[in-house]
Amino acid sequence: MLNRTGISTPKAQSLTPKLAGGPERQLRKPSPMSLADLRSKYRSTFLLSGPASKREVALTFDDAPDANFTPKVLDALKKEGVKATFFVVGNRVEAHPDIVRRMVQEGHVIGNHSYSHANLPKLSNSAFREEITKTDSLIRTYTGYTPHLVRPPYGNIDEDQIRWLSSQHKKIVNWNVDSLDWKGLSTEQVATNVLAHVHPGSIVLQHAAGGAGEDLSGTVNALPEMIKKLREDGVKLVTVPELLDISP
């Protein structure tokens, strides 16, 4: 009921049925955009592939360097005369500087994969930026350039982080062909995962190092066969900057 001032009294309010789902202030909370939404919104910054008009494919390798699998990947690429793109983890760069020097000497491109391989959306702004800038500094020590390419660990990133990276003139480079080599797959399985899905402009995800106990022998051993079949199909293997026509 209304009192003399025309304001509803508690008794009158109690007669109004409750909202079954609860008050909007409890449920209408902003939800982060999905990775698909982010890729759609930031097409020029958040990239999965290159132009399909170019009969080129970029092989990329995450989580390097280590002292076991990274040299084997480098050996395979050197034997085949292929230049690739390595997204390196900063604290591993500190642990294996000689391997990073080898990457640079053999003509590979180095990109930023964070300092500690953190799940970036879980970090504060300051912690996120430190993950990137600290690794940038390490990469610059060995390459002479500050990398424009960033690949977030697990492919995960949020909108504020994309905006900041864009302000720093960086490109976020994920992939559209996943070897799934981190599952410890066989040589045949890794090769099939790549060759069955690759097409002109593809960016292929593989790993040149991994977590504790991960076996990447499949990806090392699959490289010669993959490279041979791609070349037989008239595909040129290039670095990500070559594929995208941008500076490293």
Side-chain angles (χ1 to χ4, degrees):
M1 58 174 25
L2 300 179
N3 62 20
R4 291 182 179 179
T5 63
I7 298 175
S8 178
T9 64
K11 184 177 180 180
Q13 292 171 0
S14 68
L15 298 176
T16 303
K18 293 183 177 180
L19 301 174
E24 293 210 18
R25 68 176 180 274
Q26 293 180 5
L27 299 179
R28 289 285 293 265
K29 297 177 180 178
S31 58
M33 297 178 71
S34 69
L35 284 175
D37 291 336
L38 291 171
R39 287 193 293 263
S40 178
K41 184 173 181 179
Y42 297 96
R43 291 180 183 275
S44 64
T45 300
F46 195 171
L47 307 171
L48 302 182
S49 63
S53 59
K54 300 173 72 173
R55 199 162 184 78
E56 298 175 347
V57 167
L59 300 182
T60 70
F61 297 88
D62 284 8
D63 298 354
D66 74 1
N68 183 12
F69 294 109
T70 307
K72 294 174 183 177
V73 168
L74 289 170
D75 287 345
L77 294 173
K78 184 176 182 179
K79 184 175 181 180
E80 300 296 334
V82 171
K83 310 301 185 204
T85 305
F86 288 83
F87 289 94
V88 300
V89 178
N91 58 15
R92 292 184 168 185
V93 171
E94 291 175 329
H96 304 289
D98 54 326
I99 299 176
V100 179
R101 290 189 189 97
R102 179 183 171 185
M103 290 177 185
V104 175
Q105 290 168 357
E106 295 182 359
H108 302 292
V109 169
I110 311 295
N112 190 321
H113 199 42
S114 82
Y115 180 77
S116 67
H117 206 275
N119 189 1
L120 300 182
K122 301 291 186 180
L123 302 181
S124 66
N125 285 340
S126 61
F128 157 69
R129 294 178 185 185
E130 184 176 7
E131 287 274 338
I132 300 301
T133 56
K134 192 171 182 178
T135 305
D136 274 353
S137 179
L138 287 164
I139 292 172
R140 188 166 55 247
T141 298
Y142 299 100
T143 64
Y145 59 78
T146 299
H148 288 170
L149 307 180
V150 174
R151 176 170 286 167
Y154 317 106
N156 289 344
I157 196 161
D158 67 29
E159 187 168 16
D160 287 343
Q161 292 169 350
I162 292 174
R163 288 175 175 170
W164 183 80
L165 290 170
S166 179
S167 76
Q168 304 301 301
H169 310 292
K170 295 186 182 295
K171 301 288 187 184
I172 300 144
V173 179
N174 275 8
W175 58 88
N176 66 343
V177 177
D178 191 347
S179 68
L180 299 175
D181 57 355
W182 54 271
K183 292 185 174 183
L185 302 183
S186 69
T187 300
E188 181 180 0
Q189 288 171 320
V190 171
T192 298
N193 285 344
V194 173
L195 296 172
H197 298 96
V198 75
H199 54 74
S202 286
I203 296 175
V204 179
L205 170 64
Q206 294 178 265
H207 291 79
E214 287 184 6
D215 183 3
L216 297 171
S217 300
T219 215
V220 173
N221 296 328
L223 281 171
E225 177 188 355
M226 286 167 40
I227 292 168
K228 178 183 177 182
K229 290 191 174 180
L230 288 168
R231 283 174 166 167
E232 287 176 348
D233 199 31
V235 173
K236 183 180 179 182
L237 293 162
V238 298
T239 65
V240 168
E242 290 174 314
L243 182 66
L244 301 179
D245 291 320
I246 60 175
S247 166

